[in-house]
Amino acid sequence: MYSADELKKLQGLQLKIAKEFKRICDKYQISYSLSGGSLLGAIRHTGFIPWDDDFDVEMLRSEYERFLKIAPVELKDDYFLETWDTDKYFSLPYAKLMLKGTTYAEENTQNVKIQKGIFIDIFVADSISDKKWFRHLQCSICDNLGGVICKKNHYIDQSTGGKKILYTLLTFFPLKCLQKLLIFFMTVCN
């Protein structure tokens, strides 16, 4: 748990990162929106939710891909864009924009060799099927593939029973293969 001063400092650094993100998006007319608790905080608290310790933005897949191409060239030297391509142990199918020279380790990444700095999450939005059965299948496959990728890279595994066995068996597949399969299922309805 953070003290009020620590949380305020963390939120201030996240806001600094968000401003760098916004600078690039504005320059290249890349659309995005606040997401999750960041959106709720902006509306309900005209800022951060007082106890919130993260900052979330979201963009459509096409905008996200544009940002990933532009950001490495445009980012100021103080920042690092963490993705599968920039950090081989990073397991999430979205990006984190991180402030270099900071340390911030999430609970589920304690045993993972990824960059661990103060960040904002950059989520990607993909389409899902209008058909309920296919939407359920798509979400289930994506959730499970994401779990396997995280297990393979030593994130804390919270799976139990049959899922734990399945995840363990599937970790024998090459990481790049699992990542491509996950992206395929995430984007199959785009």
Side-chain angles (χ1 to χ4, degrees), residues 5-20:
D5 288 340
E6 289 171 331
L7 187 56
K8 192 167 185 75
K9 184 176 179 182
L10 173 64
Q11 291 171 339
L13 291 171
Q14 289 169 334
L15 188 57
K16 177 181 178 176
I17 299 165
K19 286 178 180 178
E20 175 67 358

Side-chain angles (χ1 to χ4, degrees), residues 74-89:
E74 279 293 324
L75 281 171
K76 293 179 181 169
D77 290 340
D78 297 350
Y79 298 93
F80 173 69
L81 184 64
E82 189 170 39
T83 67
W84 286 341
D85 295 325
T86 62
D87 188 335
K88 70 178 182 178
Y89 296 108

